[in-house]
PDB file of all heavy atoms in Angstrom:
ATOM      1  N   PHE A  13      -2.758   4.865   9.742  1.00 91.00           N
ATOM      2  CA  PHE A  13      -3.112   3.727   8.892  1.00 91.00           C
ATOM      3  C   PHE A  13      -3.461   4.217   7.490  1.00 91.00           C
ATOM      4  O   PHE A  13      -2.971   3.692   6.477  1.00 91.00           O
ATOM      5  CB  PHE A  13      -4.296   2.974   9.503  1.00 91.00           C
ATOM      6  CG  PHE A  13      -4.826   1.858   8.630  1.00 91.00           C
ATOM      7  CD1 PHE A  13      -4.306   0.580   8.740  1.00 91.00           C
ATOM      8  CD2 PHE A  13      -5.841   2.097   7.707  1.00 91.00           C
ATOM      9  CE1 PHE A  13      -4.786  -0.447   7.940  1.00 91.00           C
ATOM     10  CE2 PHE A  13      -6.320   1.078   6.908  1.00 91.00           C
ATOM     11  CZ  PHE A  13      -5.794  -0.199   7.028  1.00 91.00           C
ATOM     12  N   LEU A  14      -4.296   5.249   7.411  1.00 90.00           N
ATOM     13  CA  LEU A  14      -4.708   5.804   6.122  1.00 90.00           C
ATOM     14  C   LEU A  14      -3.521   6.394   5.372  1.00 90.00           C
ATOM     15  O   LEU A  14      -3.358   6.175   4.164  1.00 90.00           O
ATOM     16  CB  LEU A  14      -5.783   6.874   6.325  1.00 90.00           C
ATOM     17  CG  LEU A  14      -6.215   7.642   5.069  1.00 90.00           C
ATOM     18  CD1 LEU A  14      -6.823   6.693   4.047  1.00 90.00           C
ATOM     19  CD2 LEU A  14      -7.203   8.745   5.418  1.00 90.00           C
ATOM     20  N   LEU A  15      -2.673   7.126   6.078  1.00 88.00           N
ATOM     21  CA  LEU A  15      -1.518   7.747   5.430  1.00 88.00           C
ATOM     22  C   LEU A  15      -0.565   6.689   4.890  1.00 88.00           C
ATOM     23  O   LEU A  15      -0.035   6.834   3.780  1.00 88.00           O
ATOM     24  CB  LEU A  15      -0.791   8.663   6.426  1.00 88.00           C
ATOM     25  CG  LEU A  15      -1.542   9.930   6.817  1.00 88.00           C
ATOM     26  CD1 LEU A  15      -0.792  10.687   7.906  1.00 88.00           C
ATOM     27  CD2 LEU A  15      -1.756  10.829   5.604  1.00 88.00           C
ATOM     28  N   THR A  16      -0.324   5.647   5.664  1.00 91.00           N
ATOM     29  CA  THR A  16       0.554   4.578   5.189  1.00 91.00           C
ATOM     30  C   THR A  16      -0.037   3.915   3.955  1.00 91.00           C
ATOM     31  O   THR A  16       0.680   3.605   2.990  1.00 91.00           O
ATOM     32  CB  THR A  16       0.778   3.527   6.292  1.00 91.00           C
ATOM     33  OG1 THR A  16       1.296   4.163   7.465  1.00 91.00           O
ATOM     34  CG2 THR A  16       1.768   2.467   5.832  1.00 91.00           C
ATOM     35  N   PHE A  17      -1.352   3.705   3.967  1.00 92.00           N
ATOM     36  CA  PHE A  17      -2.021   3.091   2.819  1.00 92.00           C
ATOM     37  C   PHE A  17      -1.857   3.957   1.577  1.00 92.00           C
ATOM     38  O   PHE A  17      -1.557   3.452   0.482  1.00 92.00           O
ATOM     39  CB  PHE A  17      -3.501   2.879   3.139  1.00 92.00           C
ATOM     40  CG  PHE A  17      -4.195   1.930   2.205  1.00 92.00           C
ATOM     41  CD1 PHE A  17      -4.268   0.576   2.510  1.00 92.00           C
ATOM     42  CD2 PHE A  17      -4.758   2.376   1.017  1.00 92.00           C
ATOM     43  CE1 PHE A  17      -4.905  -0.317   1.655  1.00 92.00           C
ATOM     44  CE2 PHE A  17      -5.391   1.507   0.152  1.00 92.00           C
ATOM     45  CZ  PHE A  17      -5.466   0.149   0.470  1.00 92.00           C
ATOM     46  N   LEU A  18      -2.032   5.273   1.716  1.00 90.00           N
ATOM     47  CA  LEU A  18      -1.869   6.179   0.573  1.00 90.00           C
ATOM     48  C   LEU A  18      -0.415   6.217   0.095  1.00 90.00           C
ATOM     49  O   LEU A  18      -0.150   6.297  -1.108  1.00 90.00           O
ATOM     50  CB  LEU A  18      -2.346   7.587   0.945  1.00 90.00           C
ATOM     51  CG  LEU A  18      -3.862   7.756   1.080  1.00 90.00           C
ATOM     52  CD1 LEU A  18      -4.196   9.156   1.581  1.00 90.00           C
ATOM     53  CD2 LEU A  18      -4.560   7.497  -0.257  1.00 90.00           C
ATOM     54  N   LEU A  19       0.527   6.157   1.042  1.00 90.00           N
ATOM     55  CA  LEU A  19       1.944   6.098   0.670  1.00 90.00           C
ATOM     56  C   LEU A  19       2.233   4.860  -0.177  1.00 90.00           C
ATOM     57  O   LEU A  19       2.957   4.921  -1.177  1.00 90.00           O
ATOM     58  CB  LEU A  19       2.816   6.077   1.929  1.00 90.00           C
ATOM     59  CG  LEU A  19       2.992   7.396   2.678  1.00 90.00           C
ATOM     60  CD1 LEU A  19       3.739   7.160   3.987  1.00 90.00           C
ATOM     61  CD2 LEU A  19       3.765   8.392   1.824  1.00 90.00           C
ATOM     62  N   LEU A  20       1.664   3.743   0.210  1.00 92.00           N
ATOM     63  CA  LEU A  20       1.860   2.505  -0.541  1.00 92.00           C
ATOM     64  C   LEU A  20       1.199   2.581  -1.911  1.00 92.00           C
ATOM     65  O   LEU A  20       1.724   2.042  -2.896  1.00 92.00           O
ATOM     66  CB  LEU A  20       1.310   1.320   0.259  1.00 92.00           C
ATOM     67  CG  LEU A  20       2.062   0.985   1.543  1.00 92.00           C
ATOM     68  CD1 LEU A  20       1.309  -0.069   2.354  1.00 92.00           C
ATOM     69  CD2 LEU A  20       3.476   0.506   1.248  1.00 92.00           C
ATOM     70  N   GLU A  21       0.048   3.242  -1.991  1.00 90.00           N
ATOM     71  CA  GLU A  21      -0.627   3.414  -3.278  1.00 90.00           C
ATOM     72  C   GLU A  21       0.231   4.243  -4.236  1.00 90.00           C
ATOM     73  O   GLU A  21       0.366   3.920  -5.419  1.00 90.00           O
ATOM     74  CB  GLU A  21      -1.989   4.090  -3.074  1.00 90.00           C
ATOM     75  CG  GLU A  21      -3.067   3.178  -2.515  1.00 90.00           C
ATOM     76  CD  GLU A  21      -3.646   2.251  -3.568  1.00 90.00           C
ATOM     77  OE1 GLU A  21      -3.295   2.383  -4.758  1.00 90.00           O
ATOM     78  OE2 GLU A  21      -4.456   1.379  -3.195  1.00 90.00           O
ATOM     79  N   ILE A  22       0.802   5.341  -3.728  1.00 89.00           N
ATOM     80  CA  ILE A  22       1.681   6.174  -4.552  1.00 89.00           C
ATOM     81  C   ILE A  22       2.904   5.379  -4.986  1.00 89.00           C
ATOM     82  O   ILE A  22       3.327   5.423  -6.150  1.00 89.00           O
ATOM     83  CB  ILE A  22       2.101   7.446  -3.790  1.00 89.00           C
ATOM     84  CG1 ILE A  22       0.884   8.320  -3.496  1.00 89.00           C
ATOM     85  CG2 ILE A  22       3.137   8.240  -4.597  1.00 89.00           C
ATOM     86  CD1 ILE A  22       1.187   9.517  -2.610  1.00 89.00           C
ATOM     87  N   THR A  23       3.485   4.630  -4.049  1.00 90.00           N
ATOM     88  CA  THR A  23       4.651   3.807  -4.365  1.00 90.00           C
ATOM     89  C   THR A  23       4.314   2.773  -5.437  1.00 90.00           C
ATOM     90  O   THR A  23       5.105   2.538  -6.365  1.00 90.00           O
ATOM     91  CB  THR A  23       5.159   3.083  -3.099  1.00 90.00           C
ATOM     92  OG1 THR A  23       5.458   4.051  -2.085  1.00 90.00           O
ATOM     93  CG2 THR A  23       6.411   2.279  -3.392  1.00 90.00           C
ATOM     94  N   ALA A  24       3.143   2.158  -5.328  1.00 87.00           N
ATOM     95  CA  ALA A  24       2.717   1.157  -6.311  1.00 87.00           C
ATOM     96  C   ALA A  24       2.550   1.781  -7.695  1.00 87.00           C
ATOM     97  O   ALA A  24       2.914   1.174  -8.712  1.00 87.00           O
ATOM     98  CB  ALA A  24       1.415   0.500  -5.859  1.00 87.00           C
ATOM     99  N   LYS A  25       1.998   2.990  -7.749  1.00 83.00           N
ATOM    100  CA  LYS A  25       1.809   3.653  -9.036  1.00 83.00           C
ATOM    101  C   LYS A  25       3.141   4.025  -9.671  1.00 83.00           C
ATOM    102  O   LYS A  25       3.316   3.947 -10.892  1.00 83.00           O
ATOM    103  CB  LYS A  25       0.935   4.896  -8.865  1.00 83.00           C
ATOM    104  CG  LYS A  25      -0.542   4.583  -8.659  1.00 83.00           C
ATOM    105  CD  LYS A  25      -1.395   5.829  -8.668  1.00 83.00           C
ATOM    106  CE  LYS A  25      -2.871   5.465  -8.612  1.00 83.00           C
ATOM    107  NZ  LYS A  25      -3.299   4.679  -9.801  1.00 83.00           N
ATOM    108  N   LEU A  26       4.106   4.465  -8.855  1.00 82.00           N
ATOM    109  CA  LEU A  26       5.410   4.849  -9.384  1.00 82.00           C
ATOM    110  C   LEU A  26       6.220   3.641  -9.832  1.00 82.00           C
ATOM    111  O   LEU A  26       6.949   3.707 -10.823  1.00 82.00           O
ATOM    112  CB  LEU A  26       6.186   5.636  -8.329  1.00 82.00           C
ATOM    113  CG  LEU A  26       5.724   7.075  -8.088  1.00 82.00           C
ATOM    114  CD1 LEU A  26       6.368   7.642  -6.844  1.00 82.00           C
ATOM    115  CD2 LEU A  26       6.044   7.950  -9.297  1.00 82.00           C
ATOM    116  N   THR A  27       6.118   2.548  -9.103  1.00 82.00           N
ATOM    117  CA  THR A  27       6.900   1.353  -9.427  1.00 82.00           C
ATOM    118  C   THR A  27       6.147   0.388 -10.322  1.00 82.00           C
ATOM    119  O   THR A  27       6.722  -0.592 -10.802  1.00 82.00           O
ATOM    120  CB  THR A  27       7.308   0.609  -8.147  1.00 82.00           C
ATOM    121  OG1 THR A  27       6.123   0.240  -7.413  1.00 82.00           O
ATOM    122  CG2 THR A  27       8.183   1.485  -7.263  1.00 82.00           C
ATOM    123  N   LYS A  28       4.848   0.651 -10.540  1.00 76.00           N
ATOM    124  CA  LYS A  28       3.967  -0.228 -11.308  1.00 76.00           C
ATOM    125  C   LYS A  28       3.895  -1.623 -10.682  1.00 76.00           C
ATOM    126  O   LYS A  28       3.791  -2.636 -11.366  1.00 76.00           O
ATOM    127  CB  LYS A  28       4.438  -0.328 -12.764  1.00 76.00           C
ATOM    128  CG  LYS A  28       4.423   0.992 -13.504  1.00 76.00           C
ATOM    129  CD  LYS A  28       3.039   1.597 -13.534  1.00 76.00           C
ATOM    130  CE  LYS A  28       2.971   2.827 -14.426  1.00 76.00           C
ATOM    131  NZ  LYS A  28       3.735   3.975 -13.922  1.00 76.00           N
ATOM    132  N   LYS A  29       3.922  -1.652  -9.351  1.00 79.00           N
ATOM    133  CA  LYS A  29       3.764  -2.903  -8.633  1.00 79.00           C
ATOM    134  C   LYS A  29       2.281  -3.255  -8.539  1.00 79.00           C
ATOM    135  O   LYS A  29       1.425  -2.369  -8.465  1.00 79.00           O
ATOM    136  CB  LYS A  29       4.347  -2.792  -7.221  1.00 79.00           C
ATOM    137  CG  LYS A  29       5.867  -2.747  -7.177  1.00 79.00           C
ATOM    138  CD  LYS A  29       6.440  -4.122  -7.412  1.00 79.00           C
ATOM    139  CE  LYS A  29       7.939  -4.132  -7.230  1.00 79.00           C
ATOM    140  NZ  LYS A  29       8.514  -5.458  -7.485  1.00 79.00           N
ATOM    141  N   ARG A  30       2.000  -4.543  -8.492  1.00 74.00           N
ATOM    142  CA  ARG A  30       0.621  -4.998  -8.353  1.00 74.00           C
ATOM    143  C   ARG A  30       0.126  -4.706  -6.931  1.00 74.00           C
ATOM    144  O   ARG A  30       0.823  -4.953  -5.952  1.00 74.00           O
ATOM    145  CB  ARG A  30       0.527  -6.497  -8.624  1.00 74.00           C
ATOM    146  CG  ARG A  30      -0.891  -7.035  -8.546  1.00 74.00           C
ATOM    147  CD  ARG A  30      -0.900  -8.533  -8.783  1.00 74.00           C
ATOM    148  NE  ARG A  30      -2.245  -9.078  -8.643  1.00 74.00           N
ATOM    149  CZ  ARG A  30      -2.531 -10.376  -8.690  1.00 74.00           C
ATOM    150  NH1 ARG A  30      -1.562 -11.253  -8.876  1.00 74.00           N
ATOM    151  NH2 ARG A  30      -3.774 -10.791  -8.552  1.00 74.00           N
ATOM    152  N   VAL A  31      -1.071  -4.146  -6.830  1.00 76.00           N
ATOM    153  CA  VAL A  31      -1.668  -3.827  -5.534  1.00 76.00           C
ATOM    154  C   VAL A  31      -2.430  -5.041  -5.007  1.00 76.00           C
ATOM    155  O   VAL A  31      -3.350  -5.537  -5.665  1.00 76.00           O
ATOM    156  CB  VAL A  31      -2.619  -2.617  -5.646  1.00 76.00           C
ATOM    157  CG1 VAL A  31      -3.304  -2.358  -4.326  1.00 76.00           C
ATOM    158  CG2 VAL A  31      -1.853  -1.380  -6.103  1.00 76.00           C
ATOM    159  N   VAL A  32      -2.014  -5.528  -3.844  1.00 78.00           N
ATOM    160  CA  VAL A  32      -2.706  -6.632  -3.171  1.00 78.00           C
ATOM    161  C   VAL A  32      -3.293  -6.082  -1.879  1.00 78.00           C
ATOM    162  O   VAL A  32      -2.558  -5.727  -0.955  1.00 78.00           O
ATOM    163  CB  VAL A  32      -1.750  -7.804  -2.875  1.00 78.00           C
ATOM    164  CG1 VAL A  32      -2.498  -8.934  -2.176  1.00 78.00           C
ATOM    165  CG2 VAL A  32      -1.103  -8.300  -4.168  1.00 78.00           C
ATOM    166  N   GLY A  33      -4.621  -5.995  -1.834  1.00 83.00           N
ATOM    167  CA  GLY A  33      -5.296  -5.323  -0.727  1.00 83.00           C
ATOM    168  C   GLY A  33      -4.925  -5.839   0.647  1.00 83.00           C
ATOM    169  O   GLY A  33      -4.648  -5.056   1.566  1.00 83.00           O
ATOM    170  N   VAL A  34      -4.861  -7.168   0.809  1.00 90.00           N
ATOM    171  CA  VAL A  34      -4.571  -7.746   2.123  1.00 90.00           C
ATOM    172  C   VAL A  34      -3.175  -7.350   2.587  1.00 90.00           C
ATOM    173  O   VAL A  34      -2.963  -6.985   3.748  1.00 90.00           O
ATOM    174  CB  VAL A  34      -4.708  -9.286   2.072  1.00 90.00           C
ATOM    175  CG1 VAL A  34      -4.285  -9.899   3.400  1.00 90.00           C
ATOM    176  CG2 VAL A  34      -6.147  -9.674   1.754  1.00 90.00           C
ATOM    177  N   ARG A  35      -2.212  -7.396   1.687  1.00 91.00           N
ATOM    178  CA  ARG A  35      -0.833  -7.045   2.049  1.00 91.00           C
ATOM    179  C   ARG A  35      -0.730  -5.562   2.402  1.00 91.00           C
ATOM    180  O   ARG A  35      -0.009  -5.179   3.322  1.00 91.00           O
ATOM    181  CB  ARG A  35       0.115  -7.388   0.898  1.00 91.00           C
ATOM    182  CG  ARG A  35       0.123  -8.852   0.529  1.00 91.00           C
ATOM    183  CD  ARG A  35       1.158  -9.181  -0.506  1.00 91.00           C
ATOM    184  NE  ARG A  35       2.516  -9.069   0.038  1.00 91.00           N
ATOM    185  CZ  ARG A  35       3.554  -9.743  -0.428  1.00 91.00           C
ATOM    186  NH1 ARG A  35       3.392 -10.590  -1.432  1.00 91.00           N
ATOM    187  NH2 ARG A  35       4.743  -9.590   0.088  1.00 91.00           N
ATOM    188  N   PHE A  36      -1.470  -4.719   1.659  1.00 92.00           N
ATOM    189  CA  PHE A  36      -1.466  -3.291   1.952  1.00 92.00           C
ATOM    190  C   PHE A  36      -2.059  -3.016   3.335  1.00 92.00           C
ATOM    191  O   PHE A  36      -1.586  -2.146   4.060  1.00 92.00           O
ATOM    192  CB  PHE A  36      -2.246  -2.531   0.877  1.00 92.00           C
ATOM    193  CG  PHE A  36      -1.399  -2.101  -0.290  1.00 92.00           C
ATOM    194  CD1 PHE A  36      -0.339  -2.887  -0.697  1.00 92.00           C
ATOM    195  CD2 PHE A  36      -1.646  -0.934  -0.971  1.00 92.00           C
ATOM    196  CE1 PHE A  36       0.452  -2.512  -1.774  1.00 92.00           C
ATOM    197  CE2 PHE A  36      -0.855  -0.530  -2.037  1.00 92.00           C
ATOM    198  CZ  PHE A  36       0.190  -1.335  -2.444  1.00 92.00           C
ATOM    199  N   VAL A  37      -3.102  -3.756   3.689  1.00 93.00           N
ATOM    200  CA  VAL A  37      -3.724  -3.575   5.002  1.00 93.00           C
ATOM    201  C   VAL A  37      -2.741  -3.929   6.110  1.00 93.00           C
ATOM    202  O   VAL A  37      -2.580  -3.193   7.086  1.00 93.00           O
ATOM    203  CB  VAL A  37      -5.012  -4.415   5.112  1.00 93.00           C
ATOM    204  CG1 VAL A  37      -5.506  -4.437   6.559  1.00 93.00           C
ATOM    205  CG2 VAL A  37      -6.097  -3.846   4.200  1.00 93.00           C
ATOM    206  N   PHE A  38      -2.066  -5.065   5.977  1.00 94.00           N
ATOM    207  CA  PHE A  38      -1.095  -5.470   6.998  1.00 94.00           C
ATOM    208  C   PHE A  38       0.031  -4.436   7.117  1.00 94.00           C
ATOM    209  O   PHE A  38       0.459  -4.089   8.224  1.00 94.00           O
ATOM    210  CB  PHE A  38      -0.514  -6.844   6.661  1.00 94.00           C
ATOM    211  CG  PHE A  38      -1.409  -7.985   7.042  1.00 94.00           C
ATOM    212  CD1 PHE A  38      -1.781  -8.946   6.112  1.00 94.00           C
ATOM    213  CD2 PHE A  38      -1.884  -8.115   8.338  1.00 94.00           C
ATOM    214  CE1 PHE A  38      -2.604 -10.008   6.456  1.00 94.00           C
ATOM    215  CE2 PHE A  38      -2.717  -9.166   8.704  1.00 94.00           C
ATOM    216  CZ  PHE A  38      -3.076 -10.104   7.761  1.00 94.00           C
ATOM    217  N   SER A  39       0.522  -3.946   5.973  1.00 94.00           N
ATOM    218  CA  SER A  39       1.588  -2.948   5.990  1.00 94.00           C
ATOM    219  C   SER A  39       1.122  -1.655   6.649  1.00 94.00           C
ATOM    220  O   SER A  39       1.873  -1.020   7.401  1.00 94.00           O
ATOM    221  CB  SER A  39       2.061  -2.648   4.563  1.00 94.00           C
ATOM    222  OG  SER A  39       2.725  -3.758   4.012  1.00 94.00           O
ATOM    223  N   SER A  40      -0.112  -1.268   6.363  1.00 93.00           N
ATOM    224  CA  SER A  40      -0.651  -0.042   6.943  1.00 93.00           C
ATOM    225  C   SER A  40      -0.830  -0.175   8.454  1.00 93.00           C
ATOM    226  O   SER A  40      -0.649   0.786   9.199  1.00 93.00           O
ATOM    227  CB  SER A  40      -1.989   0.303   6.276  1.00 93.00           C
ATOM    228  OG  SER A  40      -1.821   0.502   4.891  1.00 93.00           O
ATOM    229  N   VAL A  41      -1.180  -1.380   8.919  1.00 94.00           N
ATOM    230  CA  VAL A  41      -1.275  -1.626  10.363  1.00 94.00           C
ATOM    231  C   VAL A  41       0.098  -1.436  11.014  1.00 94.00           C
ATOM    232  O   VAL A  41       0.210  -0.854  12.092  1.00 94.00           O
ATOM    233  CB  VAL A  41      -1.814  -3.046  10.635  1.00 94.00           C
ATOM    234  CG1 VAL A  41      -1.651  -3.412  12.110  1.00 94.00           C
ATOM    235  CG2 VAL A  41      -3.274  -3.130  10.228  1.00 94.00           C
ATOM    236  N   ILE A  42       1.147  -1.909  10.352  1.00 94.00           N
ATOM    237  CA  ILE A  42       2.510  -1.729  10.880  1.00 94.00           C
ATOM    238  C   ILE A  42       2.859  -0.244  10.949  1.00 94.00           C
ATOM    239  O   ILE A  42       3.422   0.229  11.944  1.00 94.00           O
ATOM    240  CB  ILE A  42       3.521  -2.480   9.995  1.00 94.00           C
ATOM    241  CG1 ILE A  42       3.271  -3.982  10.079  1.00 94.00           C
ATOM    242  CG2 ILE A  42       4.958  -2.161  10.430  1.00 94.00           C
ATOM    243  CD1 ILE A  42       4.091  -4.793   9.083  1.00 94.00           C
ATOM    244  N   GLY A  43       2.513   0.504   9.886  1.00 91.00           N
ATOM    245  CA  GLY A  43       2.776   1.942   9.879  1.00 91.00           C
ATOM    246  C   GLY A  43       2.018   2.664  10.968  1.00 91.00           C
ATOM    247  O   GLY A  43       2.550   3.582  11.615  1.00 91.00           O
TER     248      GLY A  43
END
């Protein structure tokens, strides 16, 4: 869960996408 969350954070920084905490949590649960 933590690793997926960090992967999404890196992806967001590279793509300059807006970080939405709830969506990141759901995605990390899937990971």
Side-chain angles (χ1 to χ4, degrees):
F13 174 89
L14 174 62
L15 290 174
T16 304
F17 196 92
L18 288 175
L19 284 173
L20 293 172
E21 284 282 354
I22 296 173
T23 303
K25 285 187 174 298
L26 286 168
T27 59
K28 298 301 187 293
K29 288 284 186 181
R30 182 182 177 186
V31 176
V32 180
V34 175
R35 300 186 70 154
F36 271 33
V37 169
F38 280 126
S39 292
S40 300
V41 169
I42 295 172

